[in-house]
């Protein structure tokens, strides 16, 4: 049996087992935040509440976030947004951000823009900022992919060929009256879909397609992600990361690439940043810095919410895009037919890359410009945005100020509503809802890699012998000592793992045991606080307290 066959089941069992501890931590948090509790107003109380909240957040399973886009402004007029599903299959829902205008006289005929969200572990809500950037001037739709965990086995398989067919069916839904923005992973299937439709003289191809950070040809400037795929090969991924959905999920029995493994990989690439972010959250909570704490929560509520991918889609994508490079070689096939990007003639093409992109290397996305050789040069455009990482090509301040306006100007050149009108790209100052977060996204400092966020002390650290030893080593020095050491201890408790520690056990076992290790960390940190304060147990508490002379 493959080593990863039951991985998902062990992971779910770990989550179920830690639920009582998570509930207890939440209860302790409320206890230490109760205004009637005298400890609430001490450093110890705030530290205990913060530790409980960090523990609860790092061990919970995050549900799919909502887009939460309620309004937008169109030329100074406030417009309500209503989300509605206009087309769907078991694996994809086409979501329309419909504008509800105050009066019919104000309704403009805006270009239709389809955002093809990546199906690579995160939900489509990761593109919330992209939606908000385009809403004022475009009629926006997005592919809202369904978590494979939620799709019953009876719905059938979903591989890369099915993905291409889904995109083609969506184009036909619009009858060709749409522009397409493919973000990262969907760049290959979107271009393949257009090439197949062009070869068949299908009248419903889109007006234009824009691809950003897409792995069109990963032989160019290969990154660590690209090299890993080539070195390991498809067989390694099949044997090590594919598991079945556990009961009682609706997709019970479906073979998938679990989202928690993708998240583990994402976090590893920038492990120190994620660890520092959670350490900062603890300190923000202790110091009462609610604004920064909420920014952290808002970001990680989105980032830690992941979805499963069907095994057949994941493995076919690895093989086609990252191992064999079928598309740039002209060897990609869709249901037996060769996919030739040279067949694309009627669709305008724009490619976007980020200068600091460490996931999709320089030149990988712009390779589409060379491969789509039948598109007139005047209908092709490439833009490399300076000082942005992978996620900066579709979100953040530079995306809003430099990339989105260029895209808007480009697509208007080929839209029947606006192509006869003079169009100039509007470079508005970036509306930074969160300057710190925007800078992080632009520079690729926040999202970007993949692995466990913490190196946790072993369960042996909370054994009765250790507890007895700690309690016997110290004398009681009073609450003031606890207050002085609580922050210091908690900050010391979360430390980066060494390379040897990270390689000492399989990655999937690290992810599966993370909840228990996190619980061990909280216990160990609390024990160390009391140990440094010299707490000797209930018997010593009955004796008169002595405070060391200063």
């Amino acid at each position: 049996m493959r080593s990863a066959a039951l991985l998902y089941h062990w992971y779910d069992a770990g989550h179920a087992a830690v639920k009582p501890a998570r509930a207890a931590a939440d209860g302790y948090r409320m206890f230490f935040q109760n205004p009637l509790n005298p400890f609430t107003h001490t450093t110890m109380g705030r530290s205990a509440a913060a530790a409980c909240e960090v523990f609860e957040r790092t061990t919970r399973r995050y549900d799919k976030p909502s887009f939460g886009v309620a309004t937008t402004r169109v030329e100074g007029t406030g417009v309500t947004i209503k989300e509605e599903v206009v087309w769907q299959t078991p694996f994809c829902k086409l979501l329309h951000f419909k504008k509800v205008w105050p009066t019919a006289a104000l309704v403009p005929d805006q270009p239709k823009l389809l955002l093809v969200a990546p199906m690579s572990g995160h939900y489509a809500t990761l593109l919330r900022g992209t939606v908000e950037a385009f809403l004022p001037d475009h009629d926006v739709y997005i592919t809202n992919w369904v978590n494979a965990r939620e799709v019953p086995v009876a719905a059938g398989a979903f591989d890369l060929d099915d993905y291409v067919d889904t995109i083609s069916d969506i184009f036909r839904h619009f009858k060709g009256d749409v522009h397409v923005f493919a973000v990262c992973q969907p760049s290959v299937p979107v271009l393949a879909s257009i090439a197949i439709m062009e070869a068949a003289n299908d009248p419903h191809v889109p007006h234009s397609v824009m691809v950003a950070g897409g792995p069109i040809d990963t032989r160019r400037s290969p990154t660590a992600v690209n090299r890993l795929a080539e070195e390991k090969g498809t067989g390694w991924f099949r044997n090590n990361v594919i598991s079945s959905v556990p009961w009682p999920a609706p997709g019970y029995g479906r073979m998938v690439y679990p989202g928690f493994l993708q998240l583990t990989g994402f976090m590893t690439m920038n492990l120190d940043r994620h660890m520092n972010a959670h350490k900062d959250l603890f300190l923000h909570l202790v110091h009462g810095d609610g604004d920064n704490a909420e920014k952290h929560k808002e970001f990680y509520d989105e980032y830690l919410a992941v979805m499963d991918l069907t095994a057949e889609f994941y493995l076919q994508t690895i093989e086609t895009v990252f191992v064999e490079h079928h598309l740039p070689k002209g060897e990609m096939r869709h249901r037996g037919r060769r996919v030739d990007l040279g067949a694309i003639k009627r669709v305008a093409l724009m490619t976007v890359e980020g200068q600091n992109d460490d996931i999709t290397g320089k030149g990988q996305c712009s390779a589409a410009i060379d491969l789509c050789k039948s598109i007139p040069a005047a209908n092709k455009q490439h833009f490399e945005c300076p000082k942005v990482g992978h996620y900066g090509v579709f979100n953040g301040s530079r995306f809003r100020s430099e990339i989105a306006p260029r895209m808007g100007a480009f697509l208007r050149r080929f839209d029947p509503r606006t192509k006869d009108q003079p169009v100039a790209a509007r470079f508005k100052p970036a509306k930074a809802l969160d300057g710190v977060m925007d800078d992080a996204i632009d520079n690729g400092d926040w999202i970007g890699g993949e692995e466990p966020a913490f190196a946790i002390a072993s369960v042996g650290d909370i054994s009765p012998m250790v507890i007895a030893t700690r309690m016997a080593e110290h004398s009681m020095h009073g609450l003031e000592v606890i207050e002085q050491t609580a922050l210091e201890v908690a900050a010391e408790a979360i430390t980066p793992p060494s390379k040897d520690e990270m390689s000492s056990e399989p990655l999937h076992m690290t992810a599966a045991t993370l909840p228990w290790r996190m619980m061990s960390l909280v216990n160990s940190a609390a024990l160390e606080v009391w140990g440094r304060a010299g707490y000797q147990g209930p018997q010593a508490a009955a004796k008169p307290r002595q405070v060391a002379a200063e």
Side-chain angles (χ1 to χ4, degrees), residues 171-438:
F171 292 161
R172 295 185 184 103
H173 170 78
F174 288 104
K175 294 181 169 54
D177 185 18
V178 68
H179 303 268
V180 186
F181 179 21
V183 178
C184 189
Q185 169 268 323
S187 299
V188 170
V190 164
L191 288 177
S193 171
I194 295 174
I196 293 167
M197 294 176 71
E198 283 271 35
N201 291 318
D202 193 313
H204 297 146
V205 293
H207 300 308
S208 68
V209 59
M210 297 161 286
V211 293
I216 305 300
D217 187 353
T218 58
R219 297 172 300 177
R220 299 187 178 187
S221 306
T223 63
V225 176
N226 306 145
R227 288 190 291 270
L228 174 67
E230 281 199 280
E231 291 169 5
K232 296 295 185 181
T234 310
W236 184 90
F237 290 96
R238 180 181 292 106
N239 294 329
N240 288 277
V241 301
I242 301 300
S243 187
S244 60
V245 175
W247 182 87
Y252 168 66
R254 179 181 293 279
M255 301 304 294
V256 299
Y257 172 52
F260 71 86
L261 282 183
Q262 180 75 343
L263 180 62
T264 299
F266 280 146
M267 299 189 76
T268 299
M269 292 177 65
N270 292 284
L271 181 58
D272 56 335
R273 295 168 183 165
H274 290 288
M275 293 179 59
N276 289 332
H278 282 79
K279 184 187 293 186
D280 290 342
L281 171 63
F282 175 86
L283 296 174
H284 292 324
L285 292 171
V286 173
H287 294 147
D289 188 352
D291 289 342
N292 281 319
E294 284 305 313
K295 291 172 184 176
H296 172 102
K297 294 177 186 179
E298 180 182 351
F299 175 82
Y300 277 99
D301 283 351
E302 181 77 50
Y303 187 57
L304 298 177
V306 290
M307 58 182 284
D308 301 340
L309 311 180
T310 62
E312 57 273 16
F313 167 78
Y314 175 75
L315 293 174
Q316 190 178 356
T317 300
I318 291 289
E319 175 78 13
T320 301
V321 178
F322 296 100
V323 176
E324 298 296 338
H325 317 288
H326 283 158
L327 186 64
K329 289 180 179 179
E331 299 172 357
M332 182 176 178
R333 292 189 172 275
H334 173 264
R335 307 202 184 281
R337 295 178 297 174
R338 191 171 77 89
V339 176
D340 179 16
L341 295 188
I344 303 177
K345 301 176 182 177
R346 295 170 287 168
V347 182
L349 171 65
M350 180 178 182
T351 59
V352 178
E353 295 180 346
Q355 181 185 30
N356 300 331
D357 194 334
D358 60 352
I359 294 180
T360 302
K362 184 175 181 179
Q364 292 187 12
C365 185
S366 60
I369 296 289
D370 300 325
L371 294 170
C372 298
K373 54 189 176 184
S374 298
I375 300 177
N379 294 353
K380 293 191 287 189
Q381 181 177 331
H382 173 68
F383 174 59
E384 179 181 310
C385 190
K387 300 180 181 179
V388 301
H390 187 70
Y391 289 82
V393 298
F394 65 86
N395 215 333
S397 62
R398 287 187 180 274
F399 170 77
R400 292 192 299 270
S401 64
E402 299 188 38
I403 298 176
R406 283 182 167 88
M407 286 185 169
F410 178 79
L411 69 85
R412 275 169 168 71
R413 290 171 48 200
F414 307 100
D415 190 275
R417 305 166 186 80
T418 58
K419 65 180 181 180
D420 296 327
Q421 303 172 6
V423 178
R426 293 178 294 172
F427 293 92
K428 303 176 182 178
K431 181 182 178 182
L433 300 177
D434 174 5
V436 174
M437 192 73 72
D438 275 335

Side-chain angles (χ1 to χ4, degrees), residues 60-207:
R60 77 165 65 158
R61 170 173 278 160
Y62 288 79
D63 295 328
K64 178 181 179 180
S66 63
F67 277 97
V69 181
T71 61
T72 189
R73 298 194 69 81
V74 181
E75 296 182 357
T77 302
V79 180
T80 300
I81 300 298
K82 178 183 178 182
E83 297 177 18
E84 60 178 15
V85 177
V86 296
W87 181 92
Q88 64 181 318
T89 69
F91 292 92
C92 180
K93 296 180 180 180
L94 181 60
L95 190 62
H96 180 206
F97 295 91
K98 183 179 180 180
K99 297 183 177 75
V100 182
W101 296 89
T103 63
L106 295 176
V107 180
D109 191 12
Q110 297 179 321
K112 291 183 173 65
L113 176 62
L114 169 65
L115 303 180
V116 184
M119 194 166 79
S120 55
H122 282 105
Y123 291 99
T125 50
L126 193 65
L127 270 63
R128 183 185 296 105
T130 319
V131 171
E132 292 173 336
F134 282 115
L135 264 178
D137 303 311
H138 306 83
D139 189 13
V140 179
Y141 298 75
I142 194 169
T143 55
N144 199 11
W145 302 105
V146 179
N147 189 346
R149 174 188 172 94
E150 305 299 323
V151 183
V153 175
F158 187 83
D159 60 13
L160 185 59
D161 290 336
D162 295 312
Y163 191 118
V164 172
D165 290 338
T166 298
I167 298 299
S168 298
D169 290 342
I170 292 176
F171 292 161
R172 295 185 184 103
H173 170 78
F174 288 104
K175 294 181 169 54
D177 185 18
V178 68
H179 303 268
V180 186
F181 179 21
V183 178
C184 189
Q185 169 268 323
S187 299
V188 170
V190 164
L191 288 177
S193 171
I194 295 174
I196 293 167
M197 294 176 71
E198 283 271 35
N201 291 318
D202 193 313
H204 297 146
V205 293
H207 300 308

Side-chain angles (χ1 to χ4, degrees), residues 21-31 52 56:
R22 193 159 57 247
D26 205 33
Y28 284 125
R29 177 188 62 80
M30 291 187 286
F31 171 77
C52 289
E56 191 278 329

